[in-house]
Each structure stands twice: as structure tokens, then as C-alpha cells.
Amino acid sequence: MLSPRQLFLQHQAQTTDFPLLLEVEKAEGVFMYGPNGERYLDLISGIGVSNVGHRHPRVLQAIHDQLDKYLHLMVYGEIVQAPPAQLAHALAQTLPAGLDNVYFVSSGSEAVEGACKLAKRYTGRTELIAFDKAYHGSTQGSLSLNGSESFKRAFRPLLPDVRHIRHNSFPDLALITSRTAAVILETVQGEAGVRIPAPGYLEALRARCTQVGALLILDEIQSGFGRTGTFWAFEQFNVVPDILTCAKGMGGGMPIGAFISRQEVMHSLKNDPMLGHITTFGGHPVSCAASLATLRVLQEENLLGQVPAKAEAFKKRLVHPAIKEIRHLGLMMAVEFNSFETLKAIIDNAILKGVLTDWFLFCDHSMRIAPPLTITFPEIEEACALIMAAISEEVRF
């Protein structure tokens, strides 16, 4: 009988010639466990997914409770179901007045697709503006918005009428005009290596969008659900978007995403044409139950309040001449080295020592650190000690 590893390599579609090939039998809290007793401290949370840790008891209980009632019933928006209705209400309570209408989907890419369709439909305009080194997903529409040509050129032609401007460039804001349906921006650029808006930049972007009648879409697929120390990252920048996208950490490990706007905007998908956006599995009751439990854990277990101190604990311990810079907003962190080759050697060594980290798609010389928010201070100390040992073994001064 073939092993799971053999089946994986023979029959499961691959995305690189060098997958990690870590075999995991169980995960709990911040740890993943292999079939032979291997233990890996997870510092990337499934790329920003497991914000409340792996298999949080309250998330598991919500899933089990919903399994006893029903699974999929009908495509999105036709049947009243308690889990999505209750989750939509709870999400609205975390947001400024007006952002109160939630469309549930199955992933971050789909949330971006829906948000851009909504912006075009509501404004009657066609131009979309995104940013250099942006990452919004891999479907053809969301890929069109990404800011790295190396990831796009093999799939052209892509969505027309998309323009890219420079992140944090105040002069480039003049390129947003009355032709622009929407400007889409990650509140904190993730795959660019944790790039934070310059002081006053988001406020100027918001003002320019308002001036020309363009909608502002903030992508919080990575930065939302507590990752930066506030429930939504935009809370730290004195702006409110017209449309908000979220996914990843939203489901406690279950697949779910959403785009959120005010009712007046969202209702434009109801007519001309009717059913302007459709999804089969969006608002799946099990995923919504898990998401509501995740939201409650974040609100009730003081995880957000601990984020600044935990981020500082990482910064205090990750000090080495090979580290050029640490950029972060909360526990969304990038540790910069001089090259991909140096970083790859450190990452590989750290995995052998039992710590899983990663790099960024558009910043391959920076280490991604985005652990579950439930990580404890002793676990941070252990992780940093192992990373520092890996650095010292791979970098000679």
C-alpha cells in the first residue's frame, strides 16, 4: 500500500518542484506533529490562517454542534440559516457604522473577485487601481491586481483596465481619477514583506478616492482578525473603507472569506442583472459556525491585548548581525536578511530544529513570522532560541 507521501507525490497536483514534504498527523495549539513523533512549532499559522491556534477547543465545539444540525443546504443567500446570519451580525459589530452588509464566500481570492465586481457594478466604471508588490490572490481577476509581473506574464491576457501605482507614493494618488471604479490596497502589504503605510498615506488615499468618487477597497485577508493587534488593521490608521475583504484567519482553520460594504452598495448586485454574484459554498454553515467561535475567542480571551507584548518578545530575542531589519505591525512580521540563499538555508535549518517559518512571495530575503496569537511567551522564547541557533550555524561573520 502506498504511503501518504507517495500518494501526495504521484496524484496530488504540485505547485513547485521542491515542496516542504513535512508529513503532519496532528496539530494542536502552536504545534504540528509528524508520524514519528516529530514536533514543529508553527510560526506561520498556515500563512495567517490559524490565528487562534490549531484546533482551538471552542472552534471544534462549534463545528461539532453544527455537524449535528445540517451541512450544505442551498446556494448562497436563498435559505435563512443561523450560522451565517449570526456571523454577519457579529462582524458588523466589529466595524464602523455603515459597514454592515456581508457577502460570504469560500476564500480570499473569491472575496477580492466579489469586491471588484461590486465596485464596478455600483460605480458604473471600469478602471481598477492596485499597487506595486500587491498580492490579492491567484484567480485571473485577482491575479490581474497583483503587483509582480513574474507571477502574471505566463497567464496573460488578464483583466483589462487595471493600473498599478507605487505604494506610499503621494504623487501617484493623482492617477486616481473619475474613471476609477475602485482602488484596492492591502492595509498592510503581506507578500511584499510586511510594508506598512507611511504616516498620513491612507488618509490621503481615502480623501482622493472620496474626491473622485472611487471606492476604497481594503484587503485584510492577511491582516484582519487580530493579526496586527486590533481586530482590523485599518483601525490603526484613521480611515474607513467602502469595501473590506477578509478570509484566512477568519475561520479558525475552516475555509471562508467575505467582502463587506454598506447596504446601499451591496444591493447593487441584486438587479441588472439579478444574482450579480453567486457562490455555491459561500456562507457554509460549518465554516460560519467556526468563524463565529473564532471571533468570540478573539474578543473574550484577551488575545488582541497580548499582541504588542508578544511582538516585542520576538524583536527582543531576534538580534543578530545577519538580521538587517524587522518590520511588523503586531504579529505580522518580516525579518530581513541579505539574500534568499542566506534565508533559505536558515529556514531549512530551523525546520530541522523543529520551527516552521517561510519567506514572502515578493520579498524572498525576509523571513515570515506570523504565529498563532495564542502563542505563549515560553513558546516565543523557544522558537527564537532555535531560530538564532539556525542563523548562527548558517551565517559566519
Side-chain angles (χ1 to χ4, degrees), residues 54-73:
H54 296 284
R55 301 180 69 250
H56 192 286
R58 291 175 65 176
V59 175
L60 292 184
Q61 188 61 56
I63 291 170
H64 291 158
D65 291 346
Q66 184 56 41
L67 291 178
D68 288 335
K69 296 174 182 176
Y70 56 85
L71 302 181
H72 177 76
L73 300 179

Side-chain angles (χ1 to χ4, degrees), residues 146-374:
N146 287 355
S148 173
E149 183 59 27
S150 64
F151 277 79
K152 296 192 293 188
R153 65 171 61 98
F155 306 103
R156 291 194 177 278
L158 292 169
L159 201 63
D161 217 1
V162 174
R163 167 179 286 189
H164 287 81
I165 62 177
R166 293 171 294 175
H167 188 247
N168 280 334
S169 169
F170 287 85
D172 279 13
L173 298 181
L175 297 172
I176 304 167
T177 70
S178 58
R179 288 194 63 253
T180 307
V183 179
I184 182 166
L185 171 68
E186 299 158 89
T187 309
V188 178
Q189 283 198 310
E191 298 310 314
V194 186
R195 306 293 174 175
I196 300 167
Y201 182 73
L202 278 186
E203 292 94 326
L205 172 60
R206 170 71 275 179
R208 180 61 178 172
C209 288
T210 301
Q211 179 185 7
V212 302
L215 299 187
L216 175 60
I217 304 171
L218 288 183
D219 177 339
E220 296 228 359
I221 290 165
Q222 283 199 54
S223 61
F225 269 70
R227 173 56 51 194
T228 67
T230 49
F231 198 93
W232 304 107
F234 74 79
E235 296 175 48
Q236 302 180 43
F237 295 98
N238 194 35
V239 296
V240 177
D242 297 295
I243 305 173
L244 178 69
T245 65
C246 52
K248 286 192 179 289
M250 181 178 181
M254 293 293 288
I256 187 171
F259 57 102
I260 306 171
S261 191
R262 57 187 186 273
Q263 256 188 34
E264 172 205 353
V265 176
M266 196 71 80
H267 281 188
S268 63
L269 293 176
K270 293 167 59 177
N271 301 291
D272 299 324
M274 181 176 61
L275 302 174
H277 194 67
I278 306 171
T279 172
T280 297
F281 293 113
H284 192 283
V286 179
S287 290
C288 286
S291 181
L292 182 59
T294 298
L295 187 153
R296 297 302 185 212
V297 167
L298 290 169
Q299 291 177 326
E300 296 169 9
E301 296 188 8
N302 192 34
L303 295 181
L304 302 186
Q306 299 171 25
V307 166
K310 290 177 178 179
E312 286 303 312
F314 274 104
K315 289 178 65 179
K316 178 181 177 181
R317 290 167 174 79
L318 293 176
V319 179
H320 191 279
I323 295 174
K324 305 303 180 186
E325 180 185 17
I326 296 179
R327 296 180 299 278
H328 78 102
L329 194 64
L331 285 173
M332 188 173 178
M333 311 185 79
V335 181
E336 185 166 312
F337 295 87
N338 64 354
S339 69
F340 172 73
E341 290 72 25
T342 296
L343 175 59
K344 182 65 165 62
I346 293 166
I347 287 174
D348 290 346
N349 192 325
I351 290 173
L352 293 175
K353 295 180 183 301
V355 178
L356 178 62
T357 64
D358 195 15
W359 62 86
F360 298 90
L361 286 179
F362 310 145
C363 186
D364 65 7
H365 57 289
S366 290
M367 176 185 288
R368 183 195 307 267
I369 293 182
L373 307 185
T374 54

